[in-house]
Amino acid sequence: MFEKNVELATYTCFGTGGLADLFVAPKDIDELATILRSKPLDMPITILGGCSNILVSDDGIRGLVILTTGLKKTPQLLKNKIKCIAGFGSIAISNFAADNGLSGLEFLSGIPGTIGGAVYGNAGAYGRAMSDVVESIEIMDYNGNIIVIPSAGLGFAYRTAKIPENSVIISVTLNLAFGDVTDIKNKMQEYREHRFQRQPAGVRTCGSLFKNPPNDFAARLIESAGWKGREVNGAAISDKHANFLVNLGGATARDLLELGNAVHDDVLAKFGIDLEWEIKKIG
């Protein structure tokens, strides 16, 4: 069940990251419960999903890493609501909703990762976010118990949610609106084309590097500071969108981290704005 010394770079969108001491990818909820109940009491646990918004250290992750992308099955449809397992892809669930004439997830059509990760980071775009559509989630604590949390209990804020510590999101229930399938899919296509025109594609990246500060845009600040398109050791700030950190090939996690920190410090020095990382640094 458990694998030792697994190279996490295989799973991350940046293609970087060291070894996990122990690694497991449960295939269903029952297996996840068994894993959590059988782990050593003092072993730290790190939960990973689609690995589309994380930077894993070159030193790897100590303890047990649980990959949740195997936790998926066909979503359940009940009138205007969808219940889906956390490992289901966010783009796939957006397509599922569209195919069933449900509107509200169009903004997810170009956002990679899992639906569980989208909830954890309150993913959003085009004026919409997960907080607008989540009715409730199910979590599993580290004793294997399942707990339902309504949306109001998740403390949603800009790119964050308050998920209880020592737990794993296992399912998400979405409350959507009925709509016309053609209209929904046209809007999704419009969003995808907009992303393709403005954001890097076909490269190793993990989405927005920094959260947008109040009443401003991180990309504008980074470009104004002169970082757009700059490369150091294979790590680069995208020449297409200045708030995207990119691995052009051969960059280590340390290279990416150092470039991101250099941009942060320069923006702070020039504009007095302390940008907050949106990419999660792990390990």
Side-chain angles (χ1 to χ4, degrees):
M1 183 182 295
F2 297 100
E3 297 178 71
K4 293 183 178 180
N5 298 320
V6 171
E7 189 170 347
L8 295 171
T10 304
Y11 298 94
T12 64
C13 289
F14 273 134
T16 61
L19 303 179
D21 291 344
L22 284 178
F23 179 91
V24 64
K27 300 298 186 295
D28 54 42
I29 301 302
D30 290 338
E31 187 175 350
L32 173 63
T34 299
I35 290 165
L36 292 172
R37 289 170 180 149
S38 63
K39 77 170 184 66
L41 290 176
D42 60 346
M43 179 173 286
I45 295 178
T46 300
I47 308 298
L48 298 182
C51 300
S52 61
N53 192 38
I54 62 170
L55 178 60
V56 176
S57 166
D58 296 318
D59 296 328
I61 302 176
R62 305 288 69 81
L64 174 63
V65 172
I66 300 177
L67 187 74
T68 63
T69 50
L71 300 177
K72 57 185 176 183
K73 61 181 181 181
T74 303
Q76 297 174 279
L77 185 65
L78 180 60
K79 295 184 179 179
N80 65 312
K81 297 179 183 181
I82 296 174
K83 182 177 181 180
C84 51
I85 300 302
F88 209 86
S90 54
I91 295 174
I93 196 66
S94 177
N95 290 333
F96 178 85
D99 289 340
N100 286 279
L102 292 177
S103 176
L105 295 182
E106 292 90 336
F107 73 94
L108 276 183
S109 61
I111 299 178
T114 63
I115 196 68
V119 171
Y120 183 86
N122 193 17
Y126 306 108
R128 298 279 288 175
M130 292 303 296
S131 54
D132 297 318
V133 294
V134 171
E135 178 173 280
S136 64
I137 67 170
E138 288 181 316
I139 63 170
M140 181 178 288
D141 67 22
Y142 284 2
N143 294 314
N145 302 309
I146 296 176
I147 303 162
V148 178
I149 304 177
S151 179
L154 293 173
F156 279 119
Y158 177 60
R159 299 297 177 263
T160 187
K162 293 181 180 178
I163 308 300
E165 293 185 358
N166 300 327
S167 70
V168 187
I169 299 174
I170 58 172
S171 77
V172 180
T173 298
L174 304 162
N175 191 352
L176 306 173
F178 293 111
D180 179 79
V181 172
T182 300
D183 290 343
I184 294 168
K185 291 189 174 182
N186 284 343
K187 181 177 286 189
M188 290 167 64
Q189 181 62 26
E190 177 186 335
Y191 287 165
R192 284 192 292 264
E193 290 176 357
H194 183 263
R195 282 183 174 274
F196 181 78
Q197 290 169 2
R198 297 191 59 190
Q199 299 177 5
V203 295
R204 288 193 172 276
T205 186
C206 280
S208 296
L209 170 57
F210 298 110
K211 297 179 181 180
N212 287 323
N215 304 313
D216 208 338
F217 296 95
R220 187 195 71 79
L221 293 164
I222 296 166
E223 185 170 355
S224 296
W227 286 93
K228 188 175 184 179
R230 289 176 63 176
E231 175 192 352
V232 181
N233 296 329
I237 299 300
S238 171
D239 59 3
K240 199 169 187 179
H241 192 301
N243 198 28
F244 277 68
L245 182 63
V246 177
N247 184 355
L248 295 178
T252 63
R254 183 180 299 277
D255 293 328
L256 293 162
L257 177 63
E258 288 181 350
L259 179 57
N261 284 338
V263 171
H264 168 275
D265 293 348
D266 195 35
V267 168
L268 180 60
K270 289 177 175 174
F271 307 113
I273 296 178
D274 186 7
L275 292 174
E276 180 183 352
W277 277 70
E278 185 166 330
I279 294 171
K280 305 295 185 297
K281 294 169 282 187
I282 301 178

